[in-house]
Amino acid sequence: MSRHKRWMPPEHDPAEQEKARSAIAAAVRRLNSVIARQSEVDQAAKTQRRISSENHLAPNIASALGANRD
C-alpha cells in the first residue's frame, strides 16, 4: 500500500489578499454609485422617449397644419 502526499493549497500572500480586497471594495463603491444614480438614468430615458415620440409626430403635425414637406 502506498501513501500519497495530500495536496495542500499554497500559503496566502498578504499583499495579494490586500490587493483583492481593495479591488472588491472599489467594485462595490462603483456599483453603489451606479445604483444611486438609477433615478437620474430613468428620468433621462423618459425624456428621450418623449422627445423621440414628439419627433416622430412632428411631420404629421406639420402636414396637418399645412406645411409643405421637403
Side-chain angles (χ1 to χ4, degrees):
M1 177 186 277
S2 65
R3 292 186 179 200
H4 293 286
K5 185 176 181 181
R6 185 174 175 172
W7 181 81
M8 298 293 289
E11 293 295 321
H12 295 292
D13 182 8
E16 287 293 321
Q17 279 186 320
E18 186 56 37
K19 193 172 163 183
R21 276 192 194 105
S22 64
I24 290 171
V28 167
R29 283 192 301 273
R30 286 192 308 270
L31 181 61
N32 286 338
S33 172
V34 168
I35 290 171
R37 293 187 63 201
Q38 185 61 42
S39 62
E40 296 174 34
V41 172
D42 291 341
Q43 185 65 30
K46 181 179 175 183
T47 303
Q48 287 179 341
R49 282 193 301 272
R50 182 180 51 81
I51 290 170
S52 176
S53 174
E54 290 172 0
N55 286 345
H56 179 72
L57 294 175
N60 295 337
I61 293 170
S63 66
L65 295 174
N68 292 327
R69 281 191 166 168
D70 291 339

